[in-house]
Amino acid sequence: MKIIRQKKDLQKIINKIKTFSFVPTMGGLHKGHEILIKRAKKRNSNILVSIFVNPKQFNSRKDFKSYPRNFKKDVKILKKLKVKYLYCPNYKDIFSFKTNNKIYMHWFSKRLCGKHRPGHFKGVLDVVNRLLEIIKPKYIFLGKKDFQQLTLIKKHIKKNNIKTSIISCNTLRDKNFLPYSSRNINLNKSNKKLASIVFNTIKNEKILIKRKKMQDINFSSLKRKILKLGVKKIDYIESINLDNLKRAKKYNENFNIFSAFFINNVRLIDNF
């Protein structure tokens, strides 16, 4: 595996290879990332993974500093998966040039995480746009756990007519139904057990809504139940219509329940 740290060196490789399957990450690699990489390999044997912890998408310096980092472990995982190229840029390499595309912020960016993390999605779209302009991949592979992020990247790519196809991959969960996430390393055993109970409680709520054919979806009692379980703070629990991205009100809509809550100061998100 070739580790590339400078944009100019990467561009020399890009000029020779022409097409890539691209998997952007912030490191802290887990089985969810592994699924993305395996899917990418089926499309194109030239896999490029990036590791860059983007400070612009964090809402606090403390959160940025505490984000899980283990470069040696990440490299070991990527070598085992036979990834050919790893791009590990520094801040200047990513942000020192003027982009061709203007960041497109769809109105959905103001909902859910966008409402509770001001500037987060602007930071995400900025770095993804820059990586796409540098790499120009044929495919980019993203997970459905971060559905809002995935949707906003799709809208940005379409608006700017970027010639990269998004391949979205299903959320991978552990035996306790927890979605794999880099932040899970900051949870102890009891934290993980609580998170598992909460996610299963939310999942069962969706089943109940469908079974009872609810005409007015409301999560007030669900929120109270989750707080009683031991969750200290809930950012949101909302039903979103997957077709129009508006709040889902009735059982027969095509919707998922989206949630964000804190356990042991770790913010967990999911949707199903």
Side-chain angles (χ1 to χ4, degrees), residues 44-220:
N44 191 322
S45 62
N46 294 313
I47 309 297
L48 173 64
V49 173
S50 67
I51 294 178
F52 177 66
V53 184
N54 174 29
K56 291 198 173 188
Q57 67 189 70
F58 287 83
N59 294 96
S60 73
R61 185 73 183 164
K62 185 180 177 182
D63 191 23
F64 172 68
K65 284 189 171 183
S66 67
Y67 191 83
R69 295 167 172 85
N70 192 332
F71 186 71
K72 284 185 179 179
K73 185 183 175 184
D74 291 344
V75 167
K76 191 177 178 181
I77 290 169
L78 295 175
K79 283 182 176 178
K80 189 178 178 181
L81 291 167
K82 294 182 169 56
V83 169
K84 289 187 178 180
Y85 306 100
L86 171 60
Y87 180 40
C88 303
N90 59 28
Y91 183 89
K92 187 179 178 183
D93 215 41
I94 292 290
F95 291 107
S96 63
F97 67 97
K98 187 177 180 181
T99 60
N100 296 317
N101 299 316
K102 187 178 178 182
I103 300 303
Y104 174 60
M105 298 294 291
H106 185 267
W107 61 262
F108 189 47
S109 65
K110 295 178 182 177
R111 301 289 305 277
L112 305 174
C113 286
K115 184 178 179 180
H116 293 271
R117 300 182 68 188
H120 169 69
F121 286 121
K122 187 176 181 182
V124 169
L125 290 170
D126 188 6
V127 75
V128 169
N129 180 65
R130 288 171 179 276
L131 287 166
L132 290 177
E133 288 199 12
I134 292 167
I135 299 162
K136 298 178 177 63
K138 188 172 183 179
Y139 304 106
I140 181 171
F141 289 77
L142 301 166
K144 290 182 181 177
K145 181 178 79 73
D146 300 302
F147 176 88
Q148 190 175 18
Q149 173 179 290
L150 171 64
T151 300
L152 294 173
I153 292 171
K154 282 181 179 177
K155 299 289 184 186
H156 170 77
I157 284 177
K158 186 178 179 181
K159 184 74 173 180
N160 285 284
N161 197 29
I162 297 169
K163 306 301 181 186
T164 295
S165 298
I166 292 182
I167 310 296
S168 54
C169 303
N170 291 332
T171 304
L172 186 68
R173 301 177 185 279
D174 66 17
K175 61 183 180 181
N176 298 311
F177 196 64
L178 242 69
Y180 281 99
S181 169
S182 301
R183 295 178 187 272
N184 287 0
I185 199 170
N186 293 329
L187 298 172
N188 61 32
K189 194 174 179 179
S190 63
N191 296 152
K192 288 179 180 177
K193 186 178 179 181
L194 175 57
S196 176
I197 293 169
V198 173
F199 284 134
N200 276 290
T201 301
I202 296 170
K203 181 190 176 188
N204 291 334
E205 185 74 11
K206 184 177 180 181
I207 294 168
L208 196 67
I209 289 166
K210 297 281 189 181
R211 187 188 300 151
K212 290 191 172 184
K213 298 184 178 180
M214 291 184 182
Q215 298 293 325
D216 183 20
I217 298 172
N218 187 297
F219 295 122
S220 298

Side-chain angles (χ1 to χ4, degrees), residues 221-242:
S221 61
L222 176 64
K223 288 177 183 176
R224 287 195 295 271
K225 188 188 293 184
I226 288 169
L227 290 170
K228 279 184 181 179
L229 287 170
V231 169
K232 300 300 181 187
K233 182 186 175 187
I234 299 170
D235 268 358
Y236 61 80
I237 298 176
E238 291 188 40
S239 52
I240 297 291
N241 184 307
L242 302 179

Side-chain angles (χ1 to χ4, degrees), residues 206 210 240-243 248 250-256:
K206 184 177 180 181
K210 297 281 189 181
I240 297 291
N241 184 307
L242 302 179
D243 299 321
K250 297 182 179 181
Y251 78 97
N252 56 354
E253 293 183 52
N254 176 27
F255 74 92
N256 273 7

